[in-house]
Amino acid sequence: IFSDSAKDAKEEGRTHQQMTTQKNTYMQQLAASVFTDDEDLKVREYFQAHPLAFMKPIQVATSVTMLRKKYNEINLQLGQTGARLSFEELNENEKMKTLLDCLLQTFPWWVDLHGWWRTHPAYNTSFLTADPGQDFAAEAMDVFGKGKGKETA
């Protein structure tokens, strides 16, 4: 994100480029966008008083790979069914709500990520994409059984 690969630049016959603005500037902007409007008043107040205290967690958490790993650790605990349910649906089930409340203590950003990644198989690797009650045989017959271009009586 913040620098050009010297190897790629050489292979492409161009000059190696590096960002002129320091990473910390971007990290501060990212921290501000995340914590300025946090739903927890104490977090917002602490961020206003000590914005640099939030830099290290943001620097560590910027890796999508790390976020996805932590996100899926929670999903594994929720199981295949729980991982595909929305946050609201999970909260309707008392057992799942209790489990999720406990898990969120270790990774509170799961709720936001789940809103974006819940149905994306590249990010949510724990849920099944098939819905119970799907009739795959009937769907296959609709697509393949009648033959392309043939009309049915």
Side-chain angles (χ1 to χ4, degrees), residues 65-83:
T65 302
M66 186 186 125
L67 290 173
R68 184 171 48 192
K69 180 180 179 225
K70 293 273 193 190
Y71 171 75
N72 277 297
E73 286 173 3
I74 301 284
N75 288 347
L76 284 173
Q77 297 293 317
L78 295 173
Q80 291 178 338
T81 301

Side-chain angles (χ1 to χ4, degrees), residues 12 17 27-28 40 85 94 107 111 120 143 150:
E12 294 169 9
Q17 301 287 321
M27 295 300 164
Q28 288 170 347
D40 187 336
L85 296 175
E94 193 58 39
F107 190 63
V111 175
H120 196 302
V143 173
K150 293 183 182 177

Side-chain angles (χ1 to χ4, degrees), residues 47-117:
F47 177 74
Q48 290 298 324
H50 310 285
L52 296 179
F54 287 74
M55 292 299 297
K56 187 64 175 174
I58 287 294
Q59 288 172 334
V60 171
T62 54
S63 168
V64 173
T65 302
M66 186 186 125
L67 290 173
R68 184 171 48 192
K69 180 180 179 225
K70 293 273 193 190
Y71 171 75
N72 277 297
E73 286 173 3
I74 301 284
N75 288 347
L76 284 173
Q77 297 293 317
L78 295 173
Q80 291 178 338
T81 301
R84 78 172 171 82
L85 296 175
S86 70
F87 178 68
E88 292 77 20
E89 291 170 322
L90 288 167
N91 276 320
E92 291 172 3
N93 179 315
E94 193 58 39
K95 181 180 175 186
M96 293 300 263
K97 180 183 181 335
T98 302
L99 174 60
L100 187 58
D101 287 345
C102 180
L103 295 170
L104 290 177
Q105 298 296 316
T106 63
F107 190 63
W109 301 279
W110 180 90
V111 175
D112 294 323
L113 294 173
H114 197 59
W116 300 322
W117 291 349

